[in-house]
Amino acid sequence: MNTAEDLSWQIDECARVWESFEYFLDEYVWIEDKEAKKAIKLELWPEQRRVVPALVIEQLLILLKTRQVGLTWLAAALVLWLGIRNPLFLAVIISVNEDLSIEFLNRIYFMLDRLPVWLCPPIKARTKQILEFSHDGGTSAIIKSMPTTEMGAQSKTPNILIMDESCMNRMAADIFNSSYPGIEQAKGQVIVISNSIKTGPGWPWTRDLYQGSMRGLNKFKRIFLAWDAHPGRPKTFLRDMRAAGMDEEDVSQHYPGTEEEAISTLMGSYFGDVLARHDKAMRGTVGRFVRDDKTKEVSFEEAKGGIVEIWRYPYFLNKKWDQYRWLRRYCVGSDVSEGQGRSYSVAYCKDRHLDEPACRIRSNRIDAWYWAEQLKMMSDYYENAILTVERTGAGQTTVKHLEELNANQTVHLTSGSTGSNVTSQYGWHESQEAKHLLSGYLKQWLRSMRGRLYCALLIDECSTWIQHEGSEHVGPEAGKLGDCVIAAGCMLEADQYLEKCEKIIPPGRGWRERQKAEREKGAIWAA
C-alpha cells in the first residue's frame, strides 16, 4: 500500500469511527484482562451490544447491573470516542473516591495508548485527573475524572456527566442536583452506572431514580443487566457463589437476576423478607369523616383528595351483617406531626376479627389539636375503637385534647423510682428502645397476620425502614418517611391492650348459631 492509498484509507477510517461508536469499539478498542494481566481486543457480549446505542443517543440514562459486566469500560470508551471527535467538549466523571477516579482515567489511557496515532488529535495535557485533546482552531476536548464532591459539576458545563457506582456514593443526590441545571442548559448527557448494593449510602437515591423511570416519573431511560449478562457464567453460577460462602443477601445484591430483585429493598430492610407476602396492596375508598351537628353521629362520605382511605367499612354496614354486635373489634393507633407540611400525622384502624387494617387517615397539614378531632371521629365511626397515640412532641397536644373529648384511650401504668407510686399516662412514648420494641411487634405481625395488608404506603415505608449501621437505632433511610410505620406499631400497641374481640349472641339462640360463632376466628360465645 503506497502513501497516498494509506492516507486515503486513514481518512475513510476516521470517518467511520466518527460516525459509529460501535465501529470504534469493534475495530480499535483494547481492554485489560486483569486475570491474564494483558491487553485483549474488546469483543462485545450480546448484552453489552444492547447497551451501546443507548450510551450514544440517550440524554438521561441509568444502568443498573450485576458485577463485572464491563460497563465501566464501555463508559470510558464512550468519553474517549467523544473527546476524539468533538472540539469544545467536556466530560466529567464522578467516582466514589480518588483511587477510583484515577482508575477510571487509567482505563481511558489504556485504550488511548493502543489507538493508531492518526486516529487521535494531539494531546495537550495528561495527568491523573485530566486528559485534554487539542483540536483545530485552538479548541480543546477535556475529560476530567473527579472523586466525590458535593459541588459535583456545578461550576462547569459538561457535555456529559458520568456517575460511576452511584450506590456507593454518599453524595449522589447532591452531585446530581447541583450538576444537572448546567448540563440541561447545555443539552448535555447524564449516565448513572450502579450495582444494587443496598447497604451503600447512595443506594436510596439510585433506587428512587430507577423506580422513577419505571413509573414514568422522570425522563431517564433505564437498562438492567442481570448476572447472566456475562456469557462466561454457567447456569450454576448463583449456586456456586452460595457454595463458595456468599450468603443469600450478598448474592441477591451483587448478582440480581431481574430488575425487580435488583431494586427490591426487602433484604436491606429491617422487616426483611416478611414483606414478600404482602403484594396485594390496593387503593381504598377515599373521603372524609363527617359528624352530624344534631345527632353527633359520625359518617363517611367519599371525596376526592380526602384524608381518609377505607378498605373495610364497619361490620354493621356490611350487607351480609347477621345483626349480632361485637365487643372490642376495632382499635386505632396514631403517629402525630405538627402539621406544617413536612412529616405526616397518620392513624390506622385495625379490624381485630379479620386481623388487618380497615382504614387510614393521613395528613401533613392538620395541627395536633385538630388531629385529635379526626381521631375521635375515626374511633366513633368504628364503634368507639380504643386509641393509642404517640404522645412525644406534638402528640402531647393530641392526647390532651382527646382526654377533653372523652375519647377511649389506652392508659400506660408506670411505677415510681421506689416502686411505691404508680402513675398513669395516655398513649405511647417514643424512645429508641420503645421504637425498637414497636418495630419488632410490627415485624412479627406482618409475618403472622391472617388478613391482608392493602396499604401501599405502609409497605413502602416498611421497605425503607432499617437498623442503622453501628447502632441499635431503627428508623427510615435518609430522606424517607416512617410515620406510617409508627402509626401501625401504635395500632398494635392498642391491640395488645384489649382482650379478644367477641360477638355477642344473646342466650337462648339456636345451637347452630352458637357453633358458627365459635368457629369464627377471634370470636368468643358469651353464654
Side-chain angles (χ1 to χ4, degrees):
M1 183 181 295
N2 60 41
T3 303
E5 291 175 339
D6 188 35
L7 180 61
S8 176
W9 177 82
Q10 290 175 7
I11 292 172
D12 289 342
E13 279 298 286
C14 285
R16 293 186 185 98
V17 168
W18 261 241
E19 291 171 1
S20 172
F21 176 50
E22 192 167 354
Y23 183 82
F24 173 68
L25 293 172
D26 286 336
E27 298 298 326
Y28 291 101
V29 171
W30 290 68
I31 62 174
E32 183 182 10
D33 184 334
K34 292 189 178 295
E35 292 184 3
K37 296 182 180 180
K38 66 177 183 179
I40 59 172
K41 182 67 185 67
L42 174 65
E43 294 184 7
L44 289 171
W45 303 331
E47 284 293 272
Q48 290 176 331
R49 198 172 293 278
R50 177 172 70 93
V51 172
V52 168
L55 288 171
V56 177
I57 66 174
E58 296 296 339
Q59 203 164 1
L60 298 173
L61 178 65
I62 179 167
L63 300 165
L64 194 59
K65 65 182 184 68
T66 184
R67 291 187 62 188
Q68 300 160 335
V69 286
L71 289 192
T72 302
W73 278 103
L74 288 185
L78 176 69
V79 294
L80 175 59
W81 176 70
L82 291 171
I84 288 172
R85 66 194 291 271
N86 295 317
L88 294 173
F89 171 78
L90 173 61
V92 175
I93 299 94
I94 305 289
S95 298
V96 176
N97 54 44
E98 185 175 5
D99 288 344
L100 291 177
S101 69
I102 293 172
E103 182 181 336
F104 190 98
L105 203 53
N106 282 340
R107 295 182 190 222
I108 294 176
Y109 291 151
F110 189 91
M111 292 181 284
L112 175 63
D113 291 342
R114 288 157 180 81
L115 294 178
V117 175
W118 49 264
L119 191 59
C120 304
I123 296 174
K124 187 175 181 180
R126 175 171 172 162
T127 70
K128 288 183 177 181
Q129 288 193 326
I130 294 175
L131 171 63
E132 183 175 358
F133 290 115
S134 179
H135 285 274
D136 292 341
T139 59
S140 295
I142 299 173
I143 299 171
K144 187 168 186 177
S145 186
M146 304 166 55
T148 292
T149 170
E150 190 173 353
M151 296 295 290
Q154 183 176 359
S155 61
K156 309 161 186 65
T157 308
N159 301 94
I160 181 170
L161 170 67
I162 294 178
M163 297 176 63
D164 193 26
E165 290 299 351
S166 62
C167 71
M168 303 304 295
N169 194 326
R170 60 188 175 86
M171 294 184 180
D174 293 331
I175 290 169
F176 177 78
N177 291 335
S178 63
S179 304
Y180 184 65
I183 296 171
E184 195 276 334
Q185 184 177 5
K187 306 300 181 186
Q189 185 180 15
V190 178
I191 298 176
V192 178
I193 303 172
S194 184
N195 294 323
S196 59
I197 308 302
K198 298 170 177 59
T199 55
W203 172 245
W205 178 82
T206 303
R207 181 196 61 227
D208 289 352
L209 192 69
Y210 196 89
Q211 287 181 322
S213 173
M214 294 178 73
R215 297 169 181 170
L217 301 178
N218 60 46
K219 296 181 180 179
F220 271 82
K221 165 76 173 180
R222 73 184 190 280
I223 295 179
F224 170 71
L225 274 75
W227 65 266
D228 55 0
H230 191 312
R233 288 173 178 162
K235 293 182 179 179
T236 60
F237 178 76
L238 299 183
R239 187 177 65 197
D240 295 342
M241 292 298 100
R242 298 186 192 101
M246 290 187 72
D247 60 34
E248 190 64 40
E249 183 174 344
D250 285 338
V251 172
S252 177
Q253 291 186 93
H254 291 281
Y255 304 107
T258 64
E259 66 176 2
E260 289 76 14
E261 182 182 6
I263 64 172
S264 169
T265 57
L266 298 183
M267 290 297 185
S269 165
Y270 169 86
F271 294 95
D273 57 3
V274 300
L275 293 181
R277 67 187 295 258
H278 299 292
D279 58 352
K280 305 297 183 185
M282 61 177 288
R283 185 73 165 163
T285 303
V286 176
R288 56 175 175 258
F289 291 127
V290 178
R291 189 181 295 279
D292 187 277
D293 291 336
K294 294 182 180 179
T295 66
K296 304 302 180 183
E297 294 291 322
V298 176
S299 61
F300 172 80
E301 62 180 32
E302 293 187 37
K304 186 177 181 180
I307 66 170
V308 180
E309 185 168 354
I310 288 181
W311 297 283
R312 297 279 190 183
Y313 289 93
Y315 69 89
F316 53 84
L317 295 180
N318 193 310
K319 293 180 180 180
K320 297 182 179 180
W321 179 38
D322 60 9
Q323 304 302 308
Y324 295 134
R325 289 283 180 177
W326 286 77
L327 294 176
R328 304 178 296 274
R329 178 155 177 170
Y330 299 103
C331 62
V332 173
S334 174
D335 189 23
V336 184
S337 77
E338 295 178 352
Q340 296 180 355
R342 294 187 292 271
S343 60
Y344 282 78
S345 291
V346 183
Y348 285 99
C349 176
K350 180 185 179 185
D351 185 328
R352 302 179 67 231
H353 173 60
L354 298 177
D355 195 28
E356 64 185 29
C359 176
R360 185 198 69 225
I361 53 176
R362 179 175 184 262
S363 174
N364 63 351
R365 293 294 180 183
I366 296 178
D367 66 39
W369 189 89
Y370 185 62
W371 182 252
E373 299 199 346
Q374 293 293 315
L375 292 177
K376 183 64 167 66
M377 284 194 289
M378 185 186 217
S379 172
D380 289 351
Y381 186 66
Y382 284 94
E383 294 217 302
N384 196 30
I386 197 165
L387 290 153
T388 293
V389 178
E390 180 270 310
R391 67 170 185 271
T392 310
Q396 296 180 56
T397 300
T398 302
V399 167
K400 184 176 181 180
H401 189 39
L402 282 170
E403 189 176 359
E404 295 168 350
L405 295 171
N406 295 316
N408 183 20
Q409 295 191 78
T410 58
V411 178
H412 180 64
L413 301 178
T414 57
S415 298
S417 57
T418 63
S420 58
N421 298 321
V422 177
T423 59
S424 61
Q425 289 183 318
Y426 288 118
W428 174 79
H429 176 70
E430 181 175 342
S431 65
Q432 276 301 327
E433 182 180 0
K435 188 186 290 186
H436 206 289
L437 288 171
L438 179 146
S439 299
Y441 296 153
L442 182 56
K443 185 175 184 177
Q444 179 58 37
W445 181 64
L446 291 174
R447 179 181 289 115
S448 62
M449 65 183 291
R450 302 188 308 273
R452 290 174 59 177
L453 183 58
Y454 299 100
C455 182
L457 283 173
L458 177 56
I459 295 171
D460 283 348
E461 287 193 10
C462 283
S463 72
T464 56
W465 190 266
I466 61 174
Q467 181 162 326
H468 294 280
E469 187 175 356
S471 74
E472 292 297 317
H473 292 186
V474 292
E477 293 176 350
K480 298 298 181 180
L481 296 174
D483 311 298
C484 290
V485 173
I486 295 297
C490 288
M491 175 190 74
L492 297 181
E493 287 278 334
D495 183 39
Q496 294 182 30
Y497 190 82
L498 299 172
E499 296 178 1
K500 234 175 181 181
C501 56
E502 174 184 0
K503 180 185 280 191
I504 304 174
I505 299 180
R509 293 294 183 182
W511 177 84
R512 290 184 182 277
E513 291 173 315
R514 293 198 300 273
Q515 289 295 312
K516 180 181 178 183
E518 289 175 350
R519 286 195 301 268
E520 288 180 335
K521 294 177 182 178
I524 298 176
W525 175 56

